[in-house]
Amino acid sequence: MKTYPIRRLALYLTILITGLCAIEAVVLTVIPMPVFFKIVLILGLLVAVYFLSVSFLTRYINDKIEPIYKVIREIPLQGKAVKNPQQPSNEIADVHKEVEQWAKNQTQEITRLKDLERYRKEFVGNVSHELKTPIFNIQGYILTLLEGGLDDPKINMLYLKRTEKSIDRMISIVEDLESITKLESGVLRLRVESFDFVKLVDDVIEMEQMMANERKIQLLFERPEKPVKVRADKKRIMEVMTNLVANGIKYGRQKGFVKVTFYDLKDHLMVEVMDNGIGIDKSDLPRIFERFYRVDKSRSREQGGTGLGLSIVKHIIEAHKQTINVKSEVDEGTTFTFTLEKSK
Ligand SMILES: Nc1ncnc2c1ncn2[C@@H]1O[C@H](COP(=O)(O)OP(=O)(O)OP(=O)(O)O)[C@@H](O)[C@H]1O
Ligand SMILES: [Mg+2]
């Protein structure tokens, strides 16, 4: 016959209590003693029964709960240890709470992994989509050259130049992807140094001037008289500034402006890159730092954009333990602000 543990437990307790009652009855009826002693004896036996039952039940419940604790402890959670792992509580309510917390953490973990998986699929899809365009273009140019274009000096130069442009585009996508992967996986170590931020902005403006002239956009810089020293990875911050200024030009309006301003915040420097361009709709604003996110895909692609720039910018700023914010109004303009640590 199969014996269920709870029935066995009830049986043991019944035997124990019956045995104690029998001993008590014999003692009370057979042995003559004063009433006071009899009361003390009854109370003593009751207390003994109470403690025996408590210890019996506690041990029994602990034995049953221990394996559950073991399971919980053995399943690692992302940085969330089950509290008090060495000392299992013997209170059922505590165990219930802990198991509940554990189940909640597990659910969160599963949701996180599902989100990551969705993100990964989306990412791979986006990468192949972005690379397809230049690859197909190159295929087309080569076919044209093979089908006779090679012999015509005008056509061959034109198509070779176009091929070169598509290859440059692929290289820039791959480089951006490499940067993002390194920044996300933490492989990329920042090379923090002290440098003059005014000089860096001068260099960025000089580099972007051609593009700004083409679009008739003025590059303005409220240039401080003295050097402004910051502590950061110069190369990476150059990338941040280039991306922000280039965006201001790309999404700016003809005869508009892009303006760089500094604000002194005691230990930090706040940098503002403001334009009076097309602006970004409120519904798009929370997503612009996502990889590959572009408000107007055709406009961005036409400008050679992949939608990776701001994602890289955010990663770089966060790797410096600083923050970046954006404010924008459609048809009025966009302002990005970020902070940097000042050098003492
Ligand atoms: N200053 C701005 N004004 C208006 N829209 C902007 C501005 N900066 C960014 N955006 C919008 O945010 C999107 C994402 O910007 P991001 O810099 O990440 O990508 P991109 O400029 O399209 O391409 P990439 O920088 O990779 O060459 C852009 O496509 C654009 O729609
Ligand atoms: Mg950009």
Side-chain angles (χ1 to χ4, degrees):
M1 198 185 76
K2 195 173 176 184
T3 334
Y4 291 99
I6 218 78
R7 282 199 197 153
R8 211 165 42 200
L9 180 72
L11 185 70
Y12 292 157
L13 277 175
T14 314
I15 294 171
L16 180 75
I17 293 168
T18 319
L20 285 169
C21 288
I23 296 168
E24 196 176 322
V26 170
V27 169
L28 289 181
T29 48
V30 177
I31 304 170
M33 63 171 76
V35 179
F36 173 72
F37 282 119
K38 284 186 181 177
I39 293 171
V40 171
L41 195 66
I42 292 170
L43 285 177
L45 277 169
L46 284 175
V47 170
V49 169
Y50 170 77
F51 281 111
L52 271 172
S53 317
V54 166
S55 110
F56 199 51
L57 276 169
T58 309
R59 194 146 6 117
Y60 175 78
I61 291 168
N62 265 0
D63 284 352
K64 298 290 158 200
I65 285 170
E66 187 57 32
I68 304 176
Y69 267 93
K70 254 195 185 149
V71 172
I72 294 178
R73 271 181 241 143
E74 275 162 15
I75 298 180
L77 284 174
Q78 282 266 322
K80 286 172 193 158
V82 173
K83 70 165 185 190
N84 252 353
Q86 257 72 52
Q87 299 169 307
S89 155
N90 52 20
E91 298 291 335
I92 302 253
D94 276 5
V95 175
H96 178 224
K97 244 192 254 164
E98 281 190 31
V99 173
E100 217 171 49
Q101 181 61 41
W102 174 81
K104 204 169 129 197
N105 291 346
Q106 288 291 337
T107 316
Q108 278 172 358
E109 182 66 3
I110 291 168
T111 317
R112 194 184 71 84
L113 290 174
K114 276 188 182 160
D115 283 351
L116 267 180
E117 179 56 12
R118 194 173 37 83
Y119 200 46
R120 192 191 62 80
K121 276 189 190 152
E122 234 175 71
F123 183 62
V124 173
N126 281 329
V127 171
S128 45
H129 179 81
E130 286 308 320
L131 288 175
K132 253 185 213 160
T133 317
I135 289 173
F136 285 149
N137 285 347
I138 294 171
Q139 194 183 35
Y141 303 145
I142 289 177
L143 267 178
T144 314
L145 291 172
L146 288 174
E147 282 165 6
L150 203 59
D151 303 323
D152 184 331
K154 262 194 202 149
I155 293 188
N156 66 21
M157 271 320 273
L158 179 71
Y159 278 77
L160 281 173
K161 275 195 179 132
R162 283 186 182 170
T163 306
E164 190 192 19
K165 221 172 156 188
S166 289
I167 291 173
D168 283 348
R169 171 117 185 91
M170 285 203 291
I171 292 174
S172 107
I173 294 174
V174 171
E175 275 174 359
D176 277 356
L177 288 171
E178 217 171 43
S179 282
I180 286 201
T181 315
K182 278 188 188 162
L183 284 160
E184 281 187 351
S185 59
V187 172
L188 189 119
R189 296 216 168 270
L190 294 180
R191 304 176 89 196
V192 177
E193 58 181 310
S194 182
F195 62 91
D196 179 15
F197 197 63
V198 178
K199 171 87 179 49
L200 185 140
V201 177
D202 280 342
D203 291 346
V204 171
I205 289 182
E206 200 183 301
M207 266 186 335
E208 296 300 316
Q209 195 64 61
M210 278 266 282
M211 194 166 103
N213 290 347
E214 267 172 38
R215 298 187 57 96
K216 299 197 170 49
I217 286 177
Q218 251 189 304
L219 295 185
L220 310 171
F221 177 28
E222 289 194 359
R223 200 172 186 287
E225 293 285 299
K226 290 184 191 154
V228 176
K229 292 258 183 184
V230 293
R231 268 184 62 75
D233 185 323
K234 192 174 169 187
K235 203 174 134 213
R236 294 283 158 191
I237 296 301
M238 183 93 164
E239 227 175 309
V240 168
M241 281 308 287
T242 311
N243 259 301
L244 295 180
V245 173
N247 277 355
I249 301 170
K250 278 202 285 191
Y251 309 106
R253 261 186 301 218
Q254 290 257 332
K255 296 193 183 142
F257 67 82
V258 178
K259 188 164 110 187
V260 179
T261 317
F262 295 169
Y263 297 95
D264 198 340
L265 304 180
K266 210 169 156 225
D267 296 332
H268 292 90
L269 180 74
M270 191 162 92
V271 184
E272 182 183 88
V273 181
M274 179 206 259
D275 66 63
N276 62 347
I278 59 170
I280 304 167
D281 196 84
K282 293 246 168 331
S283 60
D284 292 302
L285 219 46
R287 302 199 58 191
I288 55 162
F289 291 105
E290 285 176 23
R291 309 164 178 161
F292 293 110
Y293 193 80
R294 287 167 295 188
V295 177
D296 180 349
K297 286 199 177 24
S298 55
R299 176 166 181 154
S300 160
R301 199 174 283 129
E302 191 185 297
Q303 313 276 350
T306 329
L308 289 171
L310 285 180
S311 168
I312 295 176
V313 163
K314 191 163 200 265
H315 272 106
I316 295 175
I317 297 296
E318 284 178 354
H320 281 82
K321 301 204 168 29
Q322 300 298 317
T323 50
I324 178 155
N325 289 301
V326 58
K327 273 191 304 189
S328 190
E329 284 293 334
V330 172
D331 287 337
E332 278 181 28
T334 306
T335 306
F336 285 93
T337 38
F338 67 90
T339 53
L340 283 177
E341 192 191 329
K342 274 199 326 201
S343 170
K344 288 177 184 117

